[in-house]
Amino acid sequence: MSRTTRSTALFLLTLGLGTLFLVAGWLTPFETVRAQLDPLSGDGTADRYTPELHRRLQFAALTCGLLMSATAVAIRVLAPRLSGRVHGLLRRLVVDVRTLRVEITDTFRANAVVLIGLTIAAAGLRACFLDLPMRYDEAHSWLEYASFPSYVIVAKYDDPNNHIFHNLLTHLASLVCGSDPWALRLPAFMAGVLLVPATYLLGTAFCDRRVGGFAALLALASSPLIDYSVNSRGYALLCLLTVLAWLAALHWRQTRNLAAALCLIACGVLGLWTVPTMLYSLLSIWAWLGWSAFRTKNDYGSEPDRSNWRGVAAIILLTAMGACVVYAPVLLLNAPADRILGESSGRAERLNPMMEVASMFQGAASLLWRDVPLPLIGFFIAMIAAALVLPNPCRTDLRRVAIALALPFLLTGVLGIIPPPRSWLYMIPWLGVLTAAGTVSWLSWISIRRQSMVLGMVEVTTMFVLVTILIARQPIRNSNETGVFPAAHQIILELKSELTPPLRIVAVSPASSPLVYYARREGLPDSLFAWPQSGDRIIIATAPGQTPADILHQLNMQISAAEFHAMRIEPAFTLWERNPKAGAPE
């Protein structure tokens, strides 16, 4: 028996045993499984394992078993015909991996000084803000998802706050470094730092080093990118994966390297697993690749090369299949597809589509160019226009890239889907590349000897303005992105001696999750935030603009706000107290 035959037989045996195991799971009754799970639960009763969940698992086991058996039959029948093609594909993949590794190594060696300098500068600028108080979204994400075991993180999706892949990284960071705010922010911080040199590579790959350097500097001092680099959410990671996906797409377009195609697929799958809005950037990349495939002629130059179309279709199909695989636990256990897309889409009433698009554009522009003075915004817009109109040094047509980037924006507007502005955060590196390309195009009108000097002056002036704003206005510390309640730790420390039953703390967003987070950090029980019972002393914590009546109404508590009096009033918060009395809130 040849080595190939033995490998095929072993793989078929594995599929057969897996099919038998899954069929056995499908036949196992609910009572048998529950009897095994009850002793393993903390209270002796596995209440979360319901008959409905058992039926879903049975359906999944049967479906997977049928798919595995069908795969085994297909391999057994088609193996003789496809073995040569598969072996050829694998040999080509091995060669392409080696080629890609050499090219990546050469690129890093050629740009080592610049990449290291940008990384150090990005880390230094962002590390200054790692000590910020926990914000609502990141505290909620830690409490509800990242603090749980990995198998819970990948399956629990009761709201879109679970950026699954990022929360897995956050969970890993907490196991190594603890649950301090800086430790929970490490995955986002590292992604935000690496995004700066990645932007340099993006500009260099599509244009030249001058464009890459200026674009990286713009990403380095971008207020929203810094903000989300020190916020334990998945958006910085999403931006990094988007830039890497563009680099992989460009390399595959130029060389048809299989390893580059796999990198593109992997970035797409991990990005969708982080935040489903990665679909917007993937639509741009796929549209750009499809357009490039259409423009590429065959050997006779008479029509588009069909092999390019097949490659783009394969990339899209494998990315979709990979996303289905990583989201399988979610779809199986508790979340319909519309919940996964909940954060990425909010349908608006179709009163005026043009007004909707204009409103979405205004919100996105306000975030992407946040804390940029108006004259500098005008300069950026003028340079982007120059990049699309004037001859530029780029190796690819930036007009096609710009159209591809605008495509998801236009589609969401036409379909009445209004994503939150942070969904477009991934466009900032490309805005930097377009701005830098336009600047270089504009400088082509002066003598070559003066181009470097003028470009350096533009870069220094732009960086001086942006960094001065970061230092003078402190926009990162004053940001309200994802909900802020900076007094949470102070409140817990000051009330720590009083935070014992029968006291209950009542709060809603943006105060609730930060208060619970810091209470746990101080070793206080979660029961302090449980639903008030008869005789409990109640303290309501309100953020600026909130009143006790608002809190009680939002929580549907049948308690009169007149029963509370202000026990402490501060600019950042107010504490309201109700003394124990007979009768429990309904």
Side-chain angles (χ1 to χ4, degrees):
M1 182 181 293
S2 65
R3 182 177 181 180
T4 302
T5 305
R6 289 197 300 269
S7 300
T8 303
L10 180 60
F11 186 63
L12 291 175
L13 178 62
T14 303
L15 288 177
L17 293 176
T19 300
L20 292 176
F21 175 79
L22 291 171
V23 171
W26 173 57
L27 296 174
T28 305
F30 168 76
E31 291 76 12
T32 303
V33 178
R34 181 64 180 267
Q36 298 296 323
L37 293 177
D38 283 343
L40 300 178
S41 62
D43 57 0
T45 303
D47 292 330
R48 293 189 176 183
Y49 191 83
T50 61
E52 174 63 23
L53 177 58
H54 182 75
R55 285 192 294 271
R56 292 190 180 186
L57 292 175
Q58 282 183 313
F59 175 77
L62 178 61
T63 303
C64 292
L66 292 176
L67 290 175
M68 291 179 68
S69 60
T71 302
V73 172
I75 292 176
R76 181 68 180 86
V77 173
L78 300 177
R81 303 178 184 177
L82 299 179
S83 59
R85 294 184 181 181
V86 172
H87 287 185
L89 191 64
L90 291 177
R91 285 193 295 268
R92 179 186 169 188
L93 179 60
V94 171
V95 174
D96 286 352
V97 168
R98 293 174 180 173
T99 302
L100 183 62
R101 183 181 62 186
V102 171
E103 292 176 353
I104 292 176
T105 302
D106 292 343
T107 300
F108 276 93
R109 287 177 178 174
N111 301 277
V113 175
V114 177
L115 294 176
I116 293 174
L118 289 172
T119 303
I120 294 175
L125 189 57
R126 285 151 175 76
C128 301
F129 305 104
L130 277 174
D131 63 339
L132 293 175
M134 288 292 283
R135 303 182 185 187
Y136 175 82
D137 274 8
E138 55 182 343
H140 179 77
S141 181
W142 164 251
L143 296 171
E144 296 296 327
Y145 305 105
S147 61
F148 287 88
S150 300
Y151 61 86
V152 176
I153 298 174
V154 301
K156 185 181 180 183
Y157 208 96
D158 46 4
D159 68 60
N161 211 36
N162 187 8
H163 296 173
I164 298 178
F165 182 54
H166 176 267
N167 282 337
L168 286 173
L169 298 178
T170 302
H171 179 73
L172 179 62
S174 69
L175 295 179
V176 177
C177 304
S179 60
D180 292 329
W182 68 267
L184 300 183
R185 291 166 175 159
L186 277 180
F189 173 76
M190 295 178 66
V193 168
L194 295 177
L195 179 61
V196 176
T199 302
Y200 171 81
L201 295 176
L202 180 70
T204 302
F206 277 83
C207 298
D208 60 18
R209 292 186 179 182
R210 296 174 298 172
V211 173
F214 192 13
L217 291 177
L218 294 176
L220 172 67
S222 171
S223 173
L225 288 185
I226 296 174
D227 201 349
Y228 280 96
S229 297
V230 291
N231 193 331
S232 185
R233 308 293 289 123
Y235 298 104
L237 181 59
L238 176 70
C239 293
L240 176 62
L241 290 171
T242 296
V243 172
L244 295 179
W246 272 104
L247 291 171
L250 175 64
H251 195 276
W252 179 81
R253 174 180 175 268
Q254 294 173 338
T255 65
R256 293 300 183 264
N257 187 295
L258 289 180
L262 291 180
C263 290
L264 171 56
I265 294 169
C267 289
V269 172
L270 293 178
L272 291 170
W273 207 24
T274 302
V275 188
T277 51
M278 178 72 179
L279 180 61
Y280 298 153
S281 56
L282 288 178
L283 286 176
S284 297
I285 295 174
W286 295 339
W288 179 72
L289 287 177
W291 193 351
S292 301
F294 179 78
R295 300 282 295 183
T296 303
K297 303 298 183 179
N298 59 16
D299 295 337
Y300 301 99
S302 59
E303 61 182 12
D305 191 343
R306 293 182 180 180
S307 63
N308 296 328
W309 284 100
R310 289 196 295 268
V312 175
I315 289 173
I316 297 175
L317 178 61
L318 291 176
T319 303
M321 292 175 61
C324 291
V325 170
V326 296
Y327 273 107
V330 171
L331 296 172
L332 173 66
L333 296 179
N334 57 17
D338 58 347
R339 187 181 299 169
I340 295 177
L341 297 175
E343 184 170 351
S344 63
S345 60
R347 281 195 172 272
E349 296 182 5
R350 307 300 292 166
L351 299 178
N352 191 328
M354 295 302 297
M355 291 297 297
E356 295 170 7
V357 175
S359 176
M360 181 173 60
F361 179 82
Q362 180 183 4
S366 299
L367 176 63
L368 300 184
W369 283 326
R370 194 187 73 184
D371 302 315
V372 178
L374 189 59
L376 200 54
I377 293 178
F379 169 75
F380 289 163
I381 294 175
M383 292 303 100
I384 291 174
L388 301 179
V389 175
L390 299 177
N392 56 65
C394 296
R395 302 181 179 92
T396 58
D397 189 349
L398 290 183
R399 286 184 290 266
R400 299 181 191 175
V401 174
I403 293 174
L405 290 172
L407 179 61
F409 190 88
L410 296 175
L411 286 177
T412 54
V414 170
L415 296 176
I417 299 173
I418 309 299
R422 57 180 174 266
S423 300
W424 309 107
L425 202 67
Y426 70 89
M427 285 192 174
I428 292 181
W430 264 118
L431 291 177
V433 171
L434 292 172
T435 301
T439 304
V440 174
S441 300
W442 175 74
L443 291 178
S444 64
W445 294 93
I446 65 177
S447 63
I448 297 178
R449 288 183 299 178
R450 295 183 179 180
Q451 287 183 14
S452 298
M453 180 184 67
V454 175
L455 180 60
M457 293 175 59
V458 172
E459 292 175 347
V460 170
T461 303
T462 303
M463 288 298 296
F464 176 79
V465 171
L466 295 179
V467 174
T468 300
I469 291 175
L470 290 175
I471 296 174
R473 298 183 184 176
Q474 291 291 314
I476 310 303
R477 296 189 182 276
N478 297 325
S479 170
N480 292 321
E481 287 292 323
T482 69
V484 293
F485 191 68
H489 197 193
Q490 175 188 350
I491 292 174
I492 294 298
L493 289 176
E494 293 183 359
L495 297 180
K496 186 175 181 179
S497 59
E498 304 179 37
L499 297 183
T500 55
L503 183 142
R504 293 290 184 266
I505 298 178
V506 176
V508 296
S509 172
S512 53
S513 292
L515 286 170
V516 177
Y517 168 80
Y518 284 110
R520 287 188 183 180
R521 294 277 299 154
E522 297 298 328
L524 299 174
D526 288 351
S527 59
L528 290 169
F529 301 91
W531 193 264
Q533 301 297 323
S534 176
D536 289 345
R537 176 187 170 209
I538 302 175
I539 292 180
I540 295 180
T542 59
Q546 293 179 333
T547 65
D550 297 333
I551 307 298
L552 297 172
H553 176 73
Q554 187 171 341
L555 296 177
N556 198 27
M557 286 186 171
Q558 303 303 318
I559 306 176
S560 173
E563 299 179 17
F564 291 85
H565 67 276
M567 61 179 292
R568 182 171 178 183
I569 301 177
E570 297 288 345
F573 68 93
T574 303
L575 298 181
W576 307 80
E577 181 181 21
R578 191 195 75 162
N579 291 322
K581 57 181 288 187
E586 297 179 7

